[in-house]
Amino acid sequence: MIAEIGINHEGDPDKAHRMVADAADAGVECVKFQTHVVEDEMIPNDVVPGNADEPIYAMMRRCALPASVERELKAHAEERGMVFLSTPFSRAAADRLAELDVAAYKIGSGECNNYPLVGHIAALGKPVILSTGMNDIASIRPAVDLLRAAGVGYALLHCTSLYPTPPEQVRLGALAELRAEFPDAVLGLSDHTTSIYPCLGAVPLGARVLERHFTSDATWPGPDIPVSSTPAEFAELVTGSRLIFAALGGTKEILAAEQPTIDFAYASVVTTAPIAAGDELTAANLWVKRPGTGEIRAAEYPTLLGRRAATDLPVDRQLSWNDLADV
């Protein structure tokens, strides 16, 4: 379970540290930031993202955290027993994270088909989590080829890069397509809806990495806040996803552990009237009733009709095979 803090701190280290603490309290296993070395990432521009009201260049300059703060956040996360990850958006950012000795790299959807950067990150020799929003199988495959060639473990996160994503455009069916095309990949979902339900629904479909944006306070400013979950929602997601995962698998068989329930819930064949030795067993003197502790279960009832009693039988007697005369 990845809590995507991203740039929800708006460049404020105190906010960032609060979110690390709140994510840990919610039971999250991993917190993820974004590493922006703006001069190596983009040229000055006035492009405004669809979920923002200012140019991306100005936003990143405001929200970029220095390496010293990232080091402190990594230490904080690890002190709380979590994995620290960050998404590098440039070579310089990837190299900075390498100096921090991160456990793995997260590559965002926008860089999925940035094969030069994917190759650079893969060459650093750590596992890679690759988001695949805005990409199809054809554009994902070259990135996967680079990861395989580098010999690094990798995960593919299905993603829809809409903020927020309408439920009908989540397309959880893509997980099966990714599994068929990349059977050696760990699969996951990077979700941008406004609820935790798609993440929960992705688990039985094969998702083993779940990522959502995280905020300590839903009233904070920031372009990703509307698609972010609170600590309480993340706690519910952690609990629910683990429960669903534990419930997966198995076959349709009778469990030995169900025996106590079988004993009271099944029905056994019983007499409904006194039966004398030699009398015929009929629907008038035989039926099925609980508990299921009798020797002859209800499923055998039709095969008993027309047979004869071997001995006198009182009413409400659970029938046994020894009570039947030989045919």
Side-chain angles (χ1 to χ4, degrees):
M1 188 69 245
I2 300 176
E4 160 71 274
I5 292 173
I7 58 169
N8 279 348
H9 49 73
E10 289 280 298
D12 183 341
D14 290 338
K15 276 187 173 182
H17 280 286
R18 177 180 168 184
M19 284 186 278
V20 169
D22 288 345
D25 290 342
V28 172
E29 297 153 308
C30 175
V31 287
K32 192 188 79 64
F33 289 84
Q34 296 178 8
T35 298
H36 295 281
V37 181
V38 180
E39 62 273 15
D40 197 52
E41 177 181 328
M42 66 180 75
I43 61 174
N45 66 87
D46 58 3
V47 176
V48 179
N51 61 333
D53 55 8
E54 65 176 319
I56 187 69
Y57 184 77
M59 185 190 306
M60 292 304 103
R61 287 186 64 84
R62 185 182 75 254
C63 295
L65 296 173
S68 59
V69 171
E70 288 187 334
R71 185 174 297 278
E72 293 167 356
L73 290 169
K74 181 175 182 287
H76 185 182
E78 291 171 350
E79 286 169 4
R80 295 300 307 272
M82 295 184 295
V83 175
F84 171 93
L85 293 181
S86 189
T87 299
F89 289 83
S90 66
R91 289 178 299 178
D95 293 343
R96 177 196 289 184
L97 292 173
E99 292 176 3
L100 284 179
D101 194 26
V102 292
Y105 297 91
K106 166 68 193 298
I107 298 178
S109 293
E111 285 66 52
C112 181
N113 60 14
N114 183 347
Y115 309 127
L117 182 57
V118 172
H120 181 83
I121 293 171
L124 295 172
K126 295 289 182 70
V128 169
I129 301 172
L130 176 64
S131 278
T132 61
M134 304 177 289
N135 284 269
D136 57 17
I137 296 297
S139 60
I140 296 167
R141 187 174 288 111
V144 168
D145 289 342
L146 289 167
L147 300 175
R148 287 171 172 166
V152 297
Y154 74 102
L156 296 177
L157 304 191
H158 171 55
C159 177
T160 302
S161 299
L162 294 174
Y163 307 86
T165 302
E168 61 274 13
Q169 292 185 302
V170 173
R171 302 162 298 146
L172 291 179
L175 288 166
E177 190 175 2
L178 288 171
R179 167 61 66 219
E181 294 288 340
F182 309 105
D184 57 331
V186 175
L187 298 184
L189 178 70
S190 180
D191 180 48
H192 298 122
T193 65
T194 57
S195 82
I196 66 172
Y197 300 121
C199 279
L200 294 175
V203 175
L205 298 177
R208 297 295 175 261
V209 180
L210 303 176
E211 178 184 74
R212 277 190 58 76
H213 283 274
F214 180 91
T215 182
S216 292
D217 189 334
T219 67
W220 281 351
D224 293 327
I225 296 296
V227 296
S228 297
S229 287
T230 62
E233 290 168 328
F234 259 84
E236 185 176 354
L237 178 53
V238 168
T239 299
S241 61
R242 289 177 178 168
L243 187 153
I244 292 169
F245 178 75
L248 298 179
T251 58
K252 189 57 186 167
E253 59 184 331
I254 299 170
L255 299 178
E258 293 179 298
Q259 188 61 49
T261 307
I262 287 171
D263 288 345
F264 77 80
Y266 274 18
S268 304
V269 177
V270 302
T271 60
T272 57
I275 302 173
D279 281 356
E280 182 181 358
L281 304 181
T282 70
N285 60 24
L286 207 66
W287 188 234
V288 294
K289 293 183 181 181
R290 296 200 293 177
T293 53
E295 184 178 334
I296 304 178
R297 295 271 168 77
E300 299 289 343
Y301 174 78
T303 69
L304 304 179
L305 299 179
R307 296 187 65 173
R308 295 189 180 275
T311 184
D312 292 343
L313 301 171
V315 67
D316 284 340
R317 163 69 177 266
Q318 286 182 327
L319 211 64
S320 71
W321 293 110
N322 288 334
D323 294 330
L324 304 175
D326 293 336
V327 177

